């Protein structure tokens, strides 16, 4: 699994870019050196990812599809025992591929079957055990090379590991210098679960995002001293925690800058300043998944807070 990934979430943008723009940007990313691409059914970019991969092979930018690491995710409306395998089959059809490298449960939330979208009244009880068994079926059928979860808190991971025949390879969660998730990262490390970090730069372009990373005086001070950008310092910190950042930029220069994090390191003093002096606050609240008809009556229940690692 490559140490950095390119995200493709565009559906939440005020004006999602046209297909041709997305495909061109992904080809620019391939030329810059990206091989790990992260998509999802709800992003509605699977077709663009598939086209970009096919064109990259056709143009000789890579030798074959096998040089890529493609992640996709099952959306909440398909998170039912009888819907997970068909959902992945549809994802593969849109991608034009025979398999994905990693298939994730997007959220620990199930909704009534409906077109892609969201309504609180559609949230229903979540069958964690049954849906994970269906994810394991996806693996056994050869539709994906690995399976994992996204946005799982520590209690949900503990519960999942108690009945999983195939443990999750990955937990993809919000993680950045302004929301460091230390206890969750520690738990994943102990259980052999790779952490992937979405919103590694604070989601400052999203409606729920903030400038807690990009405008951090702590990061700016470190960046200036090292001759790096704030983004590079933030991404390097994630990398040094053993996590894989999922970045997203359609700007060629920033694409390349975001890859320039591997041949230098932070000092222990710099790491200490990042971990001790930057205020911590979750970006995406998850309030949209709180519902009287579903399993989570509060955001604390969604995120398994409070949680004691010794419990």
């Amino acid at each position: 699994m490559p140490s950095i990934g390119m995200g493709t979430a565009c559906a939440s943008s005020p004006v999602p870019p046209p297909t041709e723009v997305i495909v061109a940007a992904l080809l620019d990313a391939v030329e810059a050196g990206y091989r790990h691409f992260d998509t999802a059914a709800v992003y509605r970019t699977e077709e663009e990812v598939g086209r970009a991969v096919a064109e990259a092979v056709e143009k000789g930018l890579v030798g074959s599809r096998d040089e890529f690491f493609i992640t996709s995710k099952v959306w909440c409306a398909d998170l039912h025992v009888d819907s997970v395998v068909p959902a992945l089959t549809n994802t593969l059809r849109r991608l034009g591929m025979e398999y994905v490298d990693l298939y994730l449960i997007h959220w620990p939330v199930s909704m009534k079957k409906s077109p892609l979208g969201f309504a609180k009244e559609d949230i229903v009880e979540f069958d964690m055990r049954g849906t994970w068994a269906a994810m394991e079926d996806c693996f056994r059928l050869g539709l994906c090379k690995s399976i994992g979860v996204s946005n799982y808190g520590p209690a949900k991971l503990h519960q999942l590991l108690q009945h999983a025949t195939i443990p999750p390879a990955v937990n993809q969660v919000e993680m950045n210098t302004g929301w460091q998730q230390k206890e969750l990262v520690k738990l994943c490390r102990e259980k052999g679960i790779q952490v992937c970090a979405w919103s590694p730069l604070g989601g400052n372009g999203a409606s729920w995002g903030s400038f807690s990373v990009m405008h951090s005086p702590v990061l700016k001070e470190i960046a200036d001293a090292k001759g790096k950008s704030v983004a590079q310092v933030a991404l390097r910190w994630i990398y040094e925690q053993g996590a894989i950042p999922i970045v997203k930029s359609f700007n060629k220069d920033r694409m390349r800058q975001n890859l320039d994090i591997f041949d230098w390191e932070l000092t222990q003093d710099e790491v200490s300043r990042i971990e001790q002096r930057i205020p911590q606050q979750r970006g995406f609240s998850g309030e949209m998944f709180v519902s009287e008809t579903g399993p989570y009556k509060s955001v604390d229940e969604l995120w398994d807070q409070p949680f004691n690692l010794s419990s």
Side-chain angles (χ1 to χ4, degrees), residues 26 45-55 94-97:
L26 296 179
T45 55
E46 290 173 325
E47 290 186 10
E48 287 85 347
V49 170
R51 277 186 53 186
V53 167
E55 289 187 28
R94 289 188 290 267
L95 285 166
M97 297 178 184

Side-chain angles (χ1 to χ4, degrees), residues 202-259:
N204 53 291
S207 60
W208 48 265
S210 76
F211 291 101
S212 62
V213 175
M214 297 304 290
H215 288 184
S216 167
V218 174
L219 297 181
K220 186 177 187 310
E221 184 180 49
I222 295 170
D224 289 346
K226 301 185 86 68
K228 300 294 182 181
S229 69
V230 168
Q232 287 171 326
V233 172
L235 295 173
R236 176 68 196 190
W237 177 83
I238 291 173
Y239 173 71
E240 290 190 8
Q241 307 313 300
I244 295 174
I246 305 297
V247 299
K248 195 190 92 173
S249 175
F250 286 178
N251 178 284
K252 289 184 182 181
D253 290 337
R254 286 197 292 271
M255 283 182 190
R256 295 183 185 278
Q257 288 173 13
N258 289 342
L259 286 175

Side-chain angles (χ1 to χ4, degrees), residues 154 158 183 304 306-311:
H158 273 289
E183 287 193 352
D304 299 336
F307 182 81
N308 189 328
L309 278 176
S310 63
S311 62

Side-chain angles (χ1 to χ4, degrees), residues 149 152-161 168 171 184 187-188 193:
V149 296
Y152 270 45
K156 293 179 185 64
L157 284 178
H158 273 289
Q159 184 181 346
L160 177 59
L161 290 170
N171 188 18
L184 182 58
L187 174 63
C188 289
I193 299 171

Side-chain angles (χ1 to χ4, degrees), residues 139-218:
F139 174 79
R140 295 189 184 100
L141 289 167
L143 303 178
C144 55
K145 291 192 172 183
S146 56
I147 53 177
V149 296
S150 184
N151 303 302
Y152 270 45
K156 293 179 185 64
L157 284 178
H158 273 289
Q159 184 181 346
L160 177 59
L161 290 170
Q162 287 176 1
H163 59 70
T165 301
I166 303 171
V170 165
N171 188 18
Q172 187 180 119
V173 298
E174 180 183 0
M175 178 189 175
N176 53 62
T177 56
W179 187 241
Q180 297 176 12
Q181 299 264 48
K182 291 181 181 179
E183 287 193 352
L184 182 58
V185 171
K186 178 182 177 183
L187 174 63
C188 289
R189 187 181 299 119
E190 291 172 351
K191 301 298 182 181
I193 299 171
Q194 174 65 56
V195 173
C196 286
W198 61 264
S199 186
L201 301 179
N204 53 291
S207 60
W208 48 265
S210 76
F211 291 101
S212 62
V213 175
M214 297 304 290
H215 288 184
S216 167
V218 174

Side-chain angles (χ1 to χ4, degrees), residues 55-297:
E55 289 187 28
V57 174
E58 183 180 343
K59 292 179 178 180
L61 300 178
V62 296
S64 70
R65 178 265 180 264
D66 292 344
E67 294 183 31
F68 289 98
F69 190 100
I70 306 299
T71 298
S72 194
K73 311 176 191 75
V74 57
W75 181 238
C76 306
D78 284 317
L79 200 53
H80 305 274
V81 174
D82 60 348
S83 301
V84 172
V85 171
L88 179 49
T89 300
N90 286 331
T91 278
L92 294 175
R93 175 181 52 79
R94 289 188 290 267
L95 285 166
M97 297 178 184
E98 296 181 354
Y99 68 90
V100 290
D101 297 274
L102 175 63
Y103 197 46
L104 302 177
I105 291 178
H106 206 151
W107 285 92
V109 176
S110 290
M111 295 168 51
K112 295 176 184 176
K113 295 181 182 179
S114 63
L116 289 179
F118 184 85
K120 279 198 174 194
E121 57 268 26
D122 289 338
I123 297 175
V124 297
E125 290 298 320
F126 173 44
D127 179 4
M128 179 184 291
R129 185 166 191 159
T131 52
W132 187 252
M135 293 287 287
E136 294 178 338
D137 286 342
C138 291
F139 174 79
R140 295 189 184 100
L141 289 167
L143 303 178
C144 55
K145 291 192 172 183
S146 56
I147 53 177
V149 296
S150 184
N151 303 302
Y152 270 45
K156 293 179 185 64
L157 284 178
H158 273 289
Q159 184 181 346
L160 177 59
L161 290 170
Q162 287 176 1
H163 59 70
T165 301
I166 303 171
V170 165
N171 188 18
Q172 187 180 119
V173 298
E174 180 183 0
M175 178 189 175
N176 53 62
T177 56
W179 187 241
Q180 297 176 12
Q181 299 264 48
K182 291 181 181 179
E183 287 193 352
L184 182 58
V185 171
K186 178 182 177 183
L187 174 63
C188 289
R189 187 181 299 119
E190 291 172 351
K191 301 298 182 181
I193 299 171
Q194 174 65 56
V195 173
C196 286
W198 61 264
S199 186
L201 301 179
N204 53 291
S207 60
W208 48 265
S210 76
F211 291 101
S212 62
V213 175
M214 297 304 290
H215 288 184
S216 167
V218 174
L219 297 181
K220 186 177 187 310
E221 184 180 49
I222 295 170
D224 289 346
K226 301 185 86 68
K228 300 294 182 181
S229 69
V230 168
Q232 287 171 326
V233 172
L235 295 173
R236 176 68 196 190
W237 177 83
I238 291 173
Y239 173 71
E240 290 190 8
Q241 307 313 300
I244 295 174
I246 305 297
V247 299
K248 195 190 92 173
S249 175
F250 286 178
N251 178 284
K252 289 184 182 181
D253 290 337
R254 286 197 292 271
M255 283 182 190
R256 295 183 185 278
Q257 288 173 13
N258 289 342
L259 286 175
D260 183 19
I261 63 170
F262 300 112
D263 61 353
W264 54 277
E265 59 186 25
L266 297 167
T267 67
Q268 186 54 55
D269 174 68
E270 290 165 343
V271 171
S272 296
R273 284 150 61 193
I274 289 170
E275 296 183 356
Q276 296 173 14
R277 290 172 49 189
I278 297 180
Q280 296 296 293
Q281 183 172 344
R282 186 187 302 279
F284 184 79
S285 72
E287 193 277 334
M288 63 186 289
F289 296 116
V290 174
S291 168
E292 290 302 316
T293 62
Y296 314 119
K297 306 303 187 287

